[in-house]
Amino acid sequence: MESRDCKDNLRKLILDMAQKELEEHASTKGAQKYFEGNVDKVINNNIQKIGKERSSNSIYTKVIKQGTYQENVVSVAKVIKKEEIFKSKNELLKFARYLGLNLNMKQSYGQILKKVSRHIYSNRNLYSKKYVLYRRGNQEYILEPEKIKNELFESYRSKTRDDMKSIARLLDLNVKDDEGAEDIRKKVINYIIKEKLGKKGDKKS
């Protein structure tokens, strides 16, 4: 089982990020309740994705996270060289591009390694916040809280959109697939107002 502290810390971090974003928009109790109830599910989905992939991306994030703990550029280079995948200059170049560095095959392996290591070391504060080490049992995962927060928001938007679509269907309103929850909500409110005004007009006559 994962450490309770580890789980709670990640959970709190994501909920705090979501709360901060909610404050910039219309903060609602419904959204907060949804986030609290579904954050573990989204975290688990991310862990499952990593478990299935085991792709070069998971190696990249692991190396970046380990690189943030290093004391100098040379130590970061050692962390990179430990990974079998980076014995190849081509793979190291792919990693450099993943980091947003504009390098090419004309440069030597040593030059690419130095630039990649310097980049990670120079941006260690940024990367230490971007990637979080999460332990579950004997396994370690590198998760991105920002990505999880965005998925949580998207999950909430999908739910509210589906809820509003159900209400619109009950009222026989036409709804397009690309309409968001707010657009549908406006349609529903406008329809109800028109209906009420129509009924009031009928009563007066």
Side-chain angles (χ1 to χ4, degrees):
M1 278 179 67
E2 70 265 40
S3 151
R4 169 57 59 185
D5 287 344
C6 178
K7 182 178 179 180
D8 287 348
N9 289 345
L10 179 61
R11 197 174 190 277
K12 186 178 183 307
L13 174 64
I14 293 162
L15 288 174
D16 285 348
M17 289 167 73
Q19 176 59 36
K20 201 173 263 186
E21 191 163 322
L22 266 182
E23 284 166 8
E24 291 171 17
H25 300 88
S27 180
T28 63
K29 283 184 181 177
Q32 287 169 18
K33 264 193 163 183
Y34 180 85
F35 293 155
E36 285 165 13
N38 287 272
V39 64
D40 290 330
K41 184 181 171 185
V42 181
I43 290 169
N44 287 336
N45 287 346
N46 272 263
I47 288 169
Q48 282 170 15
K49 277 182 208 167
I50 292 167
K52 283 175 187 172
E53 286 172 4
R54 289 294 168 205
S55 62
S56 55
N57 275 20
S58 62
I59 296 169
Y60 292 172
T61 54
K62 183 178 90 171
V63 167
I64 293 166
K65 187 62 182 174
Q66 286 176 350
T68 65
Y69 303 136
Q70 305 310 308
E71 291 179 6
N72 52 48
V73 175
V74 174
S75 300
V76 177
K78 284 178 182 173
V79 168
I80 295 168
K81 285 172 82 176
K82 263 199 279 184
E83 293 295 329
E84 192 63 37
I85 189 174
F86 297 129
K87 298 282 190 273
S88 152
K89 179 179 165 181
N90 195 39
E91 288 298 333
L92 186 60
L93 196 58
K94 281 184 195 172
F95 183 39
R97 286 173 185 153
Y98 175 85
L99 294 166
L101 298 173
N102 190 18
L103 307 178
N104 58 59
M105 282 300 278
K106 289 178 184 174
Q107 292 171 301
S108 69
Y109 179 91
Q111 286 173 321
I112 297 169
L113 180 64
K114 196 172 183 180
K115 285 180 181 176
V116 167
S117 305
R118 190 180 291 129
H119 172 84
I120 293 171
Y121 184 74
S122 301
N123 292 281
R124 62 193 182 282
N125 291 335
L126 173 76
Y127 287 134
S128 67
K129 288 173 190 167
K130 184 177 180 181
Y131 300 106
V132 169
L133 179 65
Y134 184 84
R135 288 187 180 89
R136 175 171 281 180
N138 298 324
Q139 294 292 318
E140 286 185 348
Y141 303 93
I142 306 297
L143 300 176
E144 295 181 57
E146 181 71 22
K147 185 180 168 191
I148 294 171
K149 181 213 71 179
N150 290 341
E151 286 178 16
L152 198 55
F153 263 93
E154 191 46 50
S155 169
Y156 176 69
R157 287 188 193 106
S158 295
K159 179 197 175 293
T160 51
R161 190 162 54 238
D162 288 343
D163 288 347
M164 290 313 299
K165 274 184 180 178
S166 298
I167 294 167
R169 273 197 292 270
L170 288 170
L171 298 171
D172 287 328
L173 292 174
N174 287 325
V175 174
K176 293 174 185 171
D177 288 338
D178 60 348
E179 283 184 291
E182 278 305 311
D183 296 323
I184 302 168
R185 189 179 281 114
K186 281 174 193 169
K187 271 189 178 179
V188 168
I189 291 167
N190 287 338
Y191 174 82
I192 292 167
I193 289 168
K194 279 179 187 175
E195 279 286 296
K196 280 206 164 193
L197 288 174
K199 282 175 184 174
K200 278 184 181 176
D202 290 343
K203 281 179 185 176
K204 283 177 186 175
S205 60

